[in-house]
Amino acid sequence: MKKIFFVVLLTLFLGSIVCINAEESIAKVEIKTSAICEHCKETIEKALNKVDGVKTAVLNVETKIATVEYVTEKLTVDDLRTAISKAGYDADEVKRDARAYKRLPKCCKG
């Protein structure tokens, strides 16, 4: 009887987790950056992908635009801009963090 109760309880618990995840809202945003090279691309994508709630982050070096898919319940667009800024790059109207910018390689400083 205890095994049956445990299985039923476990099934209900796992079912509720699936429902919670199914309700996540995913949004897509484009953020203009100050990236100029492939190293910039790697740095920005890595910084964004470390943020909990980011599903995908891809930077187009030619357009300098980062396209980010994220969970709206966990993040705002300003959180994403801040992550880019802390990596040393401008993100829309958010200016780069000066200390992070100083640590960038020469090829990333324009």
Side-chain angles (χ1 to χ4, degrees):
M1 185 68 174
K2 287 182 182 180
K3 285 185 180 180
I4 293 172
F5 178 73
F6 179 74
V7 170
V8 169
L9 188 60
L10 183 62
T11 303
L12 290 172
F13 176 74
L14 291 176
S16 67
I17 291 174
V18 171
C19 290
I20 290 169
N21 288 338
E23 294 177 14
E24 286 184 343
S25 296
I26 306 296
K28 187 184 221 180
V29 65
E30 292 183 341
I31 301 171
K32 182 73 171 176
T33 72
S34 57
I36 55 177
C37 68
E38 288 298 318
H39 189 273
C40 297
K41 174 181 172 67
E42 181 181 319
T43 302
I44 291 172
E45 288 177 354
K46 185 177 179 181
L48 287 168
N49 283 309
K50 283 184 179 180
V51 177
D52 184 35
V54 170
K55 296 296 185 182
T56 62
V58 179
L59 177 83
N60 180 319
V61 177
E62 281 185 32
T63 63
K64 301 182 180 192
I65 293 178
T67 303
V68 186
E69 290 183 342
Y70 66 99
V71 179
T72 59
E73 291 83 9
K74 292 184 178 184
L75 297 169
T76 66
V77 176
D78 284 336
D79 295 329
L80 301 172
R81 290 180 184 123
T82 299
I84 295 170
S85 172
K86 287 183 178 180
Y89 300 90
D90 294 339
D92 291 334
E93 67 279 350
V94 177
K95 296 297 177 192
R96 65 183 175 235
D97 178 86
R99 289 176 58 186
Y101 178 76
K102 286 180 183 178
R103 292 190 301 263
L104 294 175
K106 280 187 176 183
C107 62
C108 298
K109 297 176 181 179

